[in-house]
Amino acid sequence: ALFNRALRDKPGIQGRIIVNLTIGPDGSVSRCELVSSELGDPELERKVLLKVQQLNFGAKAVPRYTYPNYPIFFLPS
């Protein structure tokens, strides 16, 4: 939904962002930082990071996990 709203303002926007994620044993994202972006839209990037921080991957009996360089692709449908 965030990307579709951004497309209305900037019809040609597309690309990927790379983030580093840290996921806790409870499944919550405890850290999400932008590594790089092809979007060229700082406001959209900020909103995506906030949305990713709200994700929950489900609790598991595992140690905290850091996923380096996780790509998120944004392409018009």
Side-chain angles (χ1 to χ4, degrees), residues 45-59:
E45 294 160 0
R46 183 187 69 79
K47 289 177 181 178
V48 169
L49 291 179
L50 290 172
K51 191 56 82 173
V52 169
Q53 288 177 322
Q54 295 174 358
L55 293 175
N56 191 298
F57 292 89

Side-chain angles (χ1 to χ4, degrees), residues 11-73:
I13 194 170
Q14 66 178 10
R16 73 176 177 176
I17 65 172
I18 306 290
V19 297
N20 286 340
L21 291 177
T22 300
I23 303 167
D26 65 352
S28 67
V29 175
S30 60
R31 193 179 113 236
C32 178
E33 66 180 21
L34 183 66
V35 174
S36 65
S37 174
E38 299 172 346
L39 296 178
D41 187 333
E43 183 62 19
L44 177 58
E45 294 160 0
R46 183 187 69 79
K47 289 177 181 178
V48 169
L49 291 179
L50 290 172
K51 191 56 82 173
V52 169
Q53 288 177 322
Q54 295 174 358
L55 293 175
N56 191 298
F57 292 89
K60 300 231 191 254
V62 295
R64 182 174 310 275
Y65 179 74
T66 298
Y67 195 127
N69 300 319
Y70 185 83
I72 303 172
F73 295 89

